[in-house]
Amino acid sequence: MNAVKAKPKKTPAKTPGHFAQFSKAEFEERIERARRLMTRKKIDGLLVSSEVHLEYLSGFRTVFSWNSPSRPWYFFLPRVGEAVGVIPEFGATGWRKSSWCKTLATWPSPRPEDEGVTLLTDLVKGMKRRYGRFGVELGPESRIGMPVGDLLCLRDAIRPVEMVDCVGVMRELRLVKSPAEVSRIRFVCRAACDAFEVLPGKIGAGDTERDAMRAFQFEAMARGIDKAPFIMPRSGKDGVDALVAGPVPNKRLRAGEVLYMDQGCKHEGYFCDFNRNFTVGRATDRAKRAFALLYDSTTAGIAAARPGATAEDLFHAQAKVLTDAGIVLGDIGRFGHGLGKNLTEPPSNMPGDKTKLVPGMVMTIEPSLMMGGDRILVREENLVITEDGHRMLTRREPREVAELAA
Amino acid sequence: MNAVKAKPKKTPAKTPGHFAQFSKAEFEERIERARRLMTRKKIDGLLVSSEVHLEYLSGFRTVFSWNSPSRPWYFFLPRVGEAVGVIPEFGATGWRKSSWCKTLATWPSPRPEDEGVTLLTDLVKGMKRRYGRFGVELGPESRIGMPVGDLLCLRDAIRPVEMVDCVGVMRELRLVKSPAEVSRIRFVCRAACDAFEVLPGKIGAGDTERDAMRAFQFEAMARGIDKAPFIMPRSGKDGVDALVAGPVPNKRLRAGEVLYMDQGCKHEGYFCDFNRNFTVGRATDRAKRAFALLYDSTTAGIAAARPGATAEDLFHAQAKVLTDAGIVLGDIGRFGHGLGKNLTEPPSNMPGDKTKLVPGMVMTIEPSLMMGGDRILVREENLVITEDGHRMLTRREPREVAELAA
């Protein structure tokens, strides 16, 4: 396969997509809030090793560390006293260039017999104790960036200090996004919207789903995003297989079909998450009606997005439009979720999730409609809750979805 | 910023970069080997949740699941009896399209109070027991794809069955790559080599390090790879800051400098990992000498790569060329490592790692030279061990590195 002929546009030193690091004040506020939550949850200190939490608290930026599991990277935050980056020695220069935290404990890694565990033990033993409890990432939706075996060693080594969960602290911290965080999500939302908008000029009947995926990926990256870790194209008549989690397919697009493209582009540590739909040539009446209904459902979900409403309110607002039209929902799952440093974050727009929306929360609105068999249609938009309601982060998909050349 | 003008080349249904799924026979062999190792290590069953291990054993392919931590995905393999995919219900279609394993246990996720733990408990309790030991990912260089809290719940629920490490089994399984695995690594190595080769026509003095990164990324993706998760450009006079793990910099390239670009491109679940170097205009004599020395060191490392040699032999072969030239190595770390589904895998080419090389192991050869202060120069190549020595997977970087326009 030959190279694409065009030379990528030169990136000026400061492109629209290149944000300055978060300010020192922003990190100070994160740390102060973390410490207030630690006091409330009776935790003397916490340790994070996952990409999102380490980045969120320390500001350390790396593409290497999360692709190479040979070495773990840690950030230690006591409730009282100095925060410490506990990292492989060779990462010290990179850490100092990106993190506000200049205190480091390092070891020469790889060192299979002790990848930082002794350093961590000493820090926990030396921290000011009030509650005798030390927080690590144990709870729902968390992923640690270290071997479990090392975590269990640490737990034994720090006794009588008790190892407890700190994911509750991190969840509460991350739930509300700062204006600087929202600006990054808005940037990546717009880049993806722009990329979707030019797709009808790039693909059409006869092209494959992978062509569509790749065209979107190129267009999004040309607009300055870091990467497109998640793209899922699916095509079919009046709906697509429910294949969000599955292999990227490669069927050819045929006239009269629907092309569904879900995606999560990422930029400087923040995701967007929304899909767009296309019809190959003219839509069938059935698809048209479904898209119109989903549009109205999305409208209702967006209208319900304001401070004081709950995540389940967002579900019910979207669901009501569908059930009013005679749809039986069945076991439909959720109609959207939180969004930020992860593609999917708490809360879930589903019955039972009573998380109260507050300004700064970024949410997806995502109704879906079963079209018979395993087939489904979906629309998704992203917004941020504001003092007086919400602000859209995506440009809404039009009621009649875009046409590709048949 | 405007879109790149060119339309990406259309991907035919079967591009050179699109491999068929691994054969059923390949998975049967992996499972059979896994079971033999389980018997040897006295494990009645094992559970994997990490991307690499789940993909390796089950064949399940997804880009969604590893970007969305809301839901875990599990593969359960008993030593005797039927393997089971334990996954969120909505993923069943995608699983069946990609995995050889058609037996599923599913739950409607998200379900925060029980994300699959009860299903897993029942499977472990129902498995045929001989040793009373159940393996999960605990050991060195592992990362689980589930919350630690859930793993601890499972450990308590399956008593008296003991929870033990299965990373030793997985490490031994993955150490030797099959011809089908090697073909994927060779593909991604070649795509990255080709992308590097055209860079001198695309960037030069005055461009930034990010321009170089982005140009490489575009060129590699245009050659059919899935993604370029790790790219690290660094430039400087006679060496670059040791910044592999750190923020992507954005300095402008100046005449007389060296541009170092490390990268790990990924395709269908397999990485390459090698860097290339460029000089902006003519190299200084000092850089020329250093590159020549590193070339000879790489040559020695490559020559030592054959069955029967150890990982530390690869280190010593590379190191000898440097020390013979009067270099004091100091605390240099390792000179390469294993490569495959992770960017870095065991073993490490460093003193003390006595892992024996056998045909099918894929290794990096990676000598480095400190150039004063924090500055460093590196060369890296990838190869596979064969019956009679090795075969290169990268096209070697020439002794005199390529020039960019000054």
Side-chain angles (χ1 to χ4, degrees):
Chain A
M1 189 178 174
N2 295 319
V4 166
K5 293 283 184 327
K7 180 170 169 176
K9 279 194 95 70
K10 293 297 170 61
T11 317
K14 199 125 182 179
T15 69
H18 177 37
F19 292 89
Q21 171 71 313
F22 290 107
S23 68
K24 187 115 195 289
E26 171 120 8
F27 285 111
E28 279 166 358
E29 210 232 316
R30 291 180 189 180
I31 296 298
E32 197 189 306
R33 284 171 58 217
R35 283 177 161 154
R36 276 203 302 271
L37 288 164
M38 287 158 76
T39 302
R40 200 195 303 158
K41 290 179 193 272
K42 302 196 192 320
I43 294 176
D44 291 317
L46 59 77
L47 178 74
V48 292
S49 59
S50 65
E51 174 175 357
V52 286
H53 291 159
L54 195 100
E55 222 175 70
Y56 185 84
L57 288 179
S58 76
F60 176 49
R61 297 287 299 276
T62 170
V63 280
F64 175 77
S65 307
W66 317 117
N67 281 296
S68 165
S70 298
R71 305 171 184 91
W73 304 74
Y74 299 106
F75 181 70
F76 167 81
L77 179 67
R79 199 178 60 90
V80 179
E82 205 170 27
V84 185
V86 184
I87 64 168
E89 204 166 81
F90 86 108
T93 310
W95 179 283
R96 289 211 175 85
K97 292 229 183 209
S98 52
S99 176
W100 62 269
C101 166
K102 304 302 178 198
T103 306
L104 291 182
T106 67
W107 76 98
S109 179
R111 189 177 65 188
E113 68 280 12
D114 181 8
E115 293 286 5
V117 174
T118 302
L119 290 174
L120 295 172
T121 305
D122 291 345
L123 283 168
V124 176
K125 290 196 159 170
M127 82 187 167
K128 206 171 153 82
R129 262 184 250 176
R130 179 164 168 190
Y131 309 111
R133 286 155 48 92
F134 183 64
V136 298
E137 295 156 290
L138 300 177
E141 306 194 21
S142 66
R143 299 287 184 272
I144 54 171
M146 65 186 293
V148 179
D150 283 357
L151 190 69
L152 298 179
C153 284
L154 182 64
R155 184 196 53 179
D156 293 342
I158 63 173
R159 282 187 178 135
V161 174
E162 188 192 357
M163 193 173 263
V164 299
D165 184 34
C166 75
V167 167
V169 168
M170 296 310 304
R171 179 193 152 134
E172 206 165 324
L173 263 179
R174 288 172 50 211
L175 202 57
V176 173
K177 275 76 181 174
S178 72
E181 288 183 283
V182 173
S183 70
R184 281 153 179 82
I185 303 173
R186 188 187 312 121
F187 173 81
V188 72
C189 281
R190 289 189 180 170
C193 280
D194 291 345
F196 273 131
E197 229 167 69
V198 298
L199 271 199
K202 311 274 168 188
I203 50 164
D207 291 331
T208 69
E209 292 161 323
R210 284 192 189 214
D211 291 333
M213 175 184 83
R214 186 156 289 254
F216 172 79
Q217 191 174 38
F218 266 71
E219 293 298 333
M221 298 201 69
R223 285 164 176 81
I225 65 159
D226 282 343
K227 51 184 167 179
F230 168 58
I231 312 178
M232 179 52 84
R234 285 300 293 157
S235 59
K237 184 99 190 292
D238 296 344
V240 301
D241 283 355
L243 252 189
V244 168
V248 175
N250 203 24
K251 189 182 111 355
R252 283 189 194 281
L253 307 179
R254 284 184 294 252
E257 287 183 334
V258 168
L259 169 67
Y260 154 98
M261 282 187 73
D262 199 1
Q263 56 79 35
C265 287
K266 197 175 180 191
H267 193 63
E268 299 201 349
Y270 290 83
F271 273 102
C272 66
D273 177 16
F274 64 95
N275 83 318
R276 285 296 177 256
N277 299 285
F278 304 90
T279 57
V280 187
R282 297 265 280 280
T284 63
D285 287 345
R286 188 155 179 252
K288 261 191 192 164
R289 279 195 305 273
F291 281 126
L293 195 56
L294 284 170
Y295 184 87
D296 296 342
S297 174
T298 312
T299 303
I302 292 169
R306 55 175 176 267
T310 63
E312 78 174 352
D313 290 343
L314 297 188
F315 174 84
H316 290 306
Q318 295 171 75
K320 184 172 186 298
V321 172
L322 304 183
T323 52
D324 282 357
I327 308 291
V328 179
L329 290 184
D331 201 3
I332 197 75
R334 61 187 183 181
F335 278 178
H337 49 79
L339 170 67
K341 289 186 74 65
N342 281 325
L343 181 67
T344 61
E345 294 186 359
S348 290
N349 301 341
M350 64 188 291
D353 193 324
K354 296 185 191 304
T355 308
K356 271 235 160 64
L357 304 181
V358 296
M361 280 173 67
V362 174
M363 301 295 298
T364 74
I365 302 294
E366 186 182 14
S368 57
L369 202 52
M370 296 310 296
M371 297 294 286
D374 228 7
R375 286 173 312 146
I376 194 170
L377 287 176
V378 182
R379 286 195 192 245
E380 189 171 15
E381 304 287 352
N382 301 162
L383 54 79
V384 56
I385 306 295
T386 58
E387 293 294 341
D388 54 0
H390 62 262
R391 192 159 46 134
M392 296 305 297
L393 296 174
T394 45
R395 274 195 309 278
R396 283 195 70 183
E397 181 172 51
R399 201 158 198 268
E400 298 216 0
V401 307
E403 267 183 38
L404 306 179
Chain B
M1 190 177 172
N2 296 318
V4 165
K5 292 286 185 323
K7 179 171 172 177
K9 279 195 95 72
K10 292 300 171 60
T11 317
K14 200 127 182 179
T15 70
H18 176 37
F19 292 89
Q21 171 70 313
F22 290 107
S23 69
K24 187 118 196 289
E26 170 119 7
F27 285 111
E28 280 165 358
E29 208 234 317
R30 290 180 189 180
I31 296 297
E32 199 190 303
R33 283 171 59 216
R35 284 178 161 153
R36 277 204 303 271
L37 289 164
M38 287 158 75
T39 302
R40 198 194 307 158
K41 290 180 193 274
K42 302 194 193 320
I43 294 176
D44 292 317
L46 60 76
L47 179 75
V48 293
S49 60
S50 65
E51 175 176 356
V52 286
H53 291 159
L54 195 98
E55 224 175 69
Y56 185 85
L57 288 178
S58 76
F60 176 49
R61 297 286 300 276
T62 170
V63 280
F64 175 77
S65 306
W66 317 117
N67 282 295
S68 165
S70 298
R71 307 171 183 89
W73 304 73
Y74 299 107
F75 180 71
F76 168 80
L77 179 67
R79 198 178 59 91
V80 180
E82 204 169 28
V84 186
V86 185
I87 63 168
E89 202 167 81
F90 86 108
T93 310
W95 179 283
R96 288 211 176 86
K97 292 230 182 204
S98 52
S99 176
W100 62 270
C101 166
K102 304 302 179 198
T103 307
L104 292 182
T106 68
W107 76 98
S109 180
R111 189 177 66 187
E113 68 280 12
D114 180 8
E115 294 284 4
V117 175
T118 302
L119 290 174
L120 294 172
T121 306
D122 291 346
L123 284 167
V124 177
K125 290 197 159 171
M127 82 187 168
K128 205 172 155 81
R129 261 184 253 177
R130 180 165 168 191
Y131 309 111
R133 287 154 49 90
F134 183 64
V136 298
E137 295 156 291
L138 301 176
E141 306 194 20
S142 67
R143 299 287 184 272
I144 54 171
M146 66 185 292
V148 179
D150 283 357
L151 190 69
L152 297 179
C153 284
L154 182 65
R155 183 197 54 178
D156 293 342
I158 63 173
R159 284 191 176 131
V161 173
E162 189 193 354
M163 191 173 265
V164 299
D165 184 33
C166 75
V167 167
V169 169
M170 297 309 304
R171 178 193 152 135
E172 206 165 323
L173 262 179
R174 288 172 49 211
L175 202 57
V176 173
K177 276 75 181 174
S178 71
E181 288 183 284
V182 173
S183 70
R184 282 152 179 82
I185 303 174
R186 188 186 312 121
F187 173 81
V188 72
C189 281
R190 289 190 180 170
C193 280
D194 292 344
F196 274 130
E197 229 167 68
V198 297
L199 271 198
K202 310 276 170 186
I203 50 163
D207 290 331
T208 68
E209 291 161 322
R210 283 192 189 215
D211 291 332
M213 174 183 83
R214 186 155 289 253
F216 173 79
Q217 190 174 39
F218 267 72
E219 294 298 333
M221 298 200 69
R223 285 164 176 81
I225 65 157
D226 282 343
K227 50 184 167 179
F230 167 59
I231 311 178
M232 179 52 83
R234 286 300 293 158
S235 60
K237 185 98 188 295
D238 294 344
V240 301
D241 284 354
L243 251 188
V244 168
V248 175
N250 203 23
K251 188 182 113 354
R252 283 189 194 282
L253 307 180
R254 284 184 293 251
E257 287 184 334
V258 168
L259 170 66
Y260 154 98
M261 282 187 73
D262 199 1
Q263 56 79 35
C265 287
K266 198 176 178 188
H267 192 65
E268 299 201 350
Y270 289 82
F271 274 102
C272 65
D273 177 15
F274 63 95
N275 83 317
R276 286 295 176 257
N277 299 285
F278 304 89
T279 57
V280 188
R282 296 264 280 279
T284 63
D285 287 344
R286 186 153 182 252
K288 262 190 194 164
R289 278 194 306 272
F291 280 127
L293 194 56
L294 284 169
Y295 184 87
D296 296 342
S297 174
T298 311
T299 304
I302 292 169
R306 56 177 176 267
T310 63
E312 78 174 351
D313 290 343
L314 297 188
F315 174 85
H316 290 305
Q318 296 171 73
K320 184 172 186 301
V321 173
L322 303 182
T323 51
D324 282 356
I327 307 291
V328 179
L329 288 182
D331 200 3
I332 198 75
R334 62 187 182 182
F335 279 177
H337 49 79
L339 168 68
K341 289 187 73 64
N342 281 325
L343 180 67
T344 61
E345 294 186 358
S348 291
N349 302 340
M350 64 189 290
D353 193 323
K354 297 183 189 306
T355 308
K356 271 234 162 64
L357 304 182
V358 297
M361 281 173 67
V362 175
M363 301 295 299
T364 73
I365 301 294
E366 186 182 13
S368 56
L369 203 51
M370 297 311 296
M371 297 294 286
D374 229 6
R375 286 175 312 145
I376 194 170
L377 286 177
V378 182
R379 287 197 193 242
E380 189 171 14
E381 304 288 350
N382 301 163
L383 54 78
V384 57
I385 305 296
T386 58
E387 293 293 341
D388 54 0
H390 63 262
R391 190 158 48 132
M392 296 305 298
L393 297 174
T394 46
R395 272 195 309 279
R396 283 196 69 184
E397 182 173 50
R399 202 157 198 269
E400 297 216 0
V401 308
E403 267 184 37
L404 306 179

